[in-house]
């Protein structure tokens, strides 16, 4: 891990130094990422998860269709904001001269982005594999696991933020 850190930090440090040079107040550097990502995960994540499951289980066909459409519209935006927030969180650590890879918060965020990316790929490339495997249930459960992981990620982030 040490060699990976030595490879990544020199790449990110000039970007972090540029942001440091903007004179952004320390509380914003420290708590901006958690505040913004908390909103994305709690509001968008909850809505995307709810509409996804509602589109599957509600008996009213019109309501189910409405939920699936809402899920399809907002889920890509949520993934984009999560991916950008992930980048911002890593950059925030570098700006604060903190090690990137020594935190469970980093690893749960990395796993969550990977799971959401895989889930997006499942939805983009179809719910049925060439072997006939139904991926639609996998999509729902994988998305739910990713959201639960993001809630754990938030708790670990709060612990990290309070320790810095």
């Amino acid at each position: 891990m040490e060699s990976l850190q030595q490879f990544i930090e020199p790449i990110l440090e000039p970007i972090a130094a540029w942001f440091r040079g903007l004179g952004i107040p320390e509380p914003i550097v420290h708590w901006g990422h958690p505040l913004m990502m908390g909103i994305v995960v709690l509001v968008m994540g909850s809505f995307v998860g709810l509409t996804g499951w509602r589109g599957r289980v509600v008996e009213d066909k019109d309501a189910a269709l409405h939920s699936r459409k809402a899920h399809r519209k907002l889920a890509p935006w949520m993934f984009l904001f999560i991916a950008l927030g992930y980048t911002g969180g890593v950059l925030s650590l570098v700006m604060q001269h903190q090690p990137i890879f020594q935190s469970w918060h980093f690893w749960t965020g990395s796993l969550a982005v990977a799971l959401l990316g895989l889930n997006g790929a499942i939805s983009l490339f179809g719910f049925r594999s060439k072997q006939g495997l139904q991926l639609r249930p996998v999509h729902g459960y994988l998305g739910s696991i990713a959201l639960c992981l993001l809630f754990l990620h938030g708790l670990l982030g709060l612990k990290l933020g309070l320790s810095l």
Side-chain angles (χ1 to χ4, degrees), residues 25-157:
E26 191 278 332
I28 293 175
V29 172
H30 193 87
W31 293 108
H33 166 77
L35 177 65
M36 295 298 116
M37 293 312 297
I39 292 168
V40 170
V41 171
L42 292 174
V43 176
M44 287 182 87
S46 297
F47 182 80
V48 167
L50 177 67
T51 56
W53 279 106
R54 192 165 186 269
R56 291 170 178 266
V57 300
V58 73
E59 305 228 353
D60 179 0
K61 298 244 188 241
D62 289 335
L65 181 63
H66 178 73
S67 287
R68 283 195 302 272
K69 283 182 180 178
H71 178 80
R72 208 172 301 125
K73 283 180 185 175
L74 197 57
W77 288 104
M78 184 194 81
F79 176 73
L80 175 67
F81 291 147
I82 295 282
L84 291 172
Y86 172 86
T87 305
V90 169
L91 193 56
S92 174
L93 283 175
V94 176
M95 287 175 69
Q96 297 174 73
H97 301 288
Q98 297 297 319
I100 300 169
F101 301 110
Q102 295 179 1
S103 160
W104 279 104
H105 182 69
F106 170 81
W107 293 110
T108 56
S110 299
L111 181 59
V113 169
L115 290 175
L116 289 172
L118 176 62
N119 215 28
I122 288 171
S123 71
L124 280 175
F125 299 115
F127 287 116
R128 185 180 292 277
S129 73
K130 290 180 181 169
Q131 294 79 23
L133 175 67
Q134 280 286 352
L135 296 177
R136 189 174 181 83
V138 172
H139 176 79
Y141 289 110
L142 189 60
S144 296
I145 289 168
L147 280 176
C148 289
L149 181 63
L150 283 168
F151 289 122
L152 172 64
H153 174 72
L155 292 174
L156 292 170

